[in-house]
């Protein structure tokens, strides 16, 4: 006799997943600096430069000296001429006293003195450096008061937006258990 057999078949559950990705967006607004500048102040004072030109020596060399200078020059020149005359008189006296000299000393001395020129020097000494120049540079004083920069920054924080993704689970295949009897009759008795 053939006994019936129970056959069990099983089908597992299958789970399906559907997902949408998450999104993150970040925006950074620019900061506002709000700068304010205070201008620097500069004040300057300048003293005038001085240029002094003294051309007295140049005019003196041309014969156009001041009267006091001209008088002193004539006196000095006259003193030199008189000292020179005294020396010549002494030399002439020595020549006249010399009896060993057979020339006519008196006639020679008279001939020399007749056409002798004794100039008085009234002009100054000519030179390339007769004009005196003196320059005193001016002084520039500078006073600087520094300005400044002030700022009042306004910081903007980043703006973030997060959209979470979704993960959904669903049953793609249901679980099933089936029982079946194979062979024999159900109504059979043993």
């Amino acid at each position: 006799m053939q006994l019936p057999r129970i056959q069990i078949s099983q089908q597992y559950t299958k789970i399906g997943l559907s997902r949408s990705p998450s999104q993150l967006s970040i925006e950074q607004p620019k900061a506002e600096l709000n700068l304010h500048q205070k201008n620097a102040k500069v004040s300057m004072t300048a003293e005038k430069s001085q240029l002094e030109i003294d051309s007295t020596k140049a005019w003196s060399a041309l014969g156009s000296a001041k009267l006091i200078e001209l008088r002193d020059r004539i006196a000095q020149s006259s003193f030199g001429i008189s000292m020179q005359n005294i020396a010549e008189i002494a030399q002439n006296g020595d020549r006249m006293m010399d009896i060993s000299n057979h020339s006519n000393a008196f006639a020679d001395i008279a001939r020399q003195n007749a056409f002798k020129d004794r100039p008085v020097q009234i002009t100054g000494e000519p030179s390339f450096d007769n004009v005196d120049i003196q320059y005193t540079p001016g002084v520039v004083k500078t006073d600087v008061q520094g300005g400044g920069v002030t700022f009042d920054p306004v910081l903007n924080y980043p703006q973030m937006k997060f959209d979470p993704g979704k993960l959904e689970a669903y049953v793609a295949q249901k679980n099933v258990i089936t029982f079946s009897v194979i062979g024999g009759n159900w109504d059979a008795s043993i």
Side-chain angles (χ1 to χ4, degrees), residues 129-145:
D129 194 24
N130 274 344
V131 177
D132 294 329
I133 298 174
Q134 183 177 0
Y135 175 71
T136 306
V139 178
V140 177
K141 294 178 183 175
T142 307
D143 182 29
V144 178
Q145 294 177 352

Side-chain angles (χ1 to χ4, degrees), residues 35-102:
L35 293 171
H36 303 286
Q37 181 174 1
K38 182 180 177 184
N39 292 334
K41 294 181 181 177
V42 178
S43 60
M44 300 174 76
T45 56
E47 296 177 3
K48 291 184 179 179
S49 302
Q50 292 183 350
L51 176 64
E52 295 178 9
I53 300 174
D54 185 11
S55 60
T56 306
K57 292 180 190 173
W59 286 111
S60 175
L62 292 173
S64 297
K66 293 181 179 177
L67 188 59
I68 296 172
E69 185 180 343
L70 192 60
R71 183 192 64 193
D72 291 343
R73 195 173 291 144
I74 291 172
Q76 221 171 17
S77 183
S78 298
F79 179 74
I81 289 171
S82 46
M83 293 311 266
Q84 187 179 1
N85 281 339
I86 292 172
E88 284 181 12
I89 290 171
Q91 285 177 355
N92 289 338
D94 289 342
R95 276 177 62 192
M96 288 187 269
M97 206 172 55
D98 187 14
I99 50 174
S100 61
N101 189 1
H102 298 297

Side-chain angles (χ1 to χ4, degrees), residues 4-46:
R5 289 184 301 168
I6 297 175
Q7 181 178 356
I8 301 173
S9 63
Q10 181 179 359
Q11 179 179 333
Y12 294 104
T13 302
K14 290 185 180 178
I15 297 175
L17 296 174
S18 68
R19 72 174 183 93
S20 60
S22 59
Q23 291 182 347
L24 175 65
S25 64
I26 300 174
E27 289 183 8
Q28 175 65 56
K30 292 182 179 179
E32 299 172 14
L33 292 180
N34 297 327
L35 293 171
H36 303 286
Q37 181 174 1
K38 182 180 177 184
N39 292 334
K41 294 181 181 177
V42 178
S43 60
M44 300 174 76
T45 56

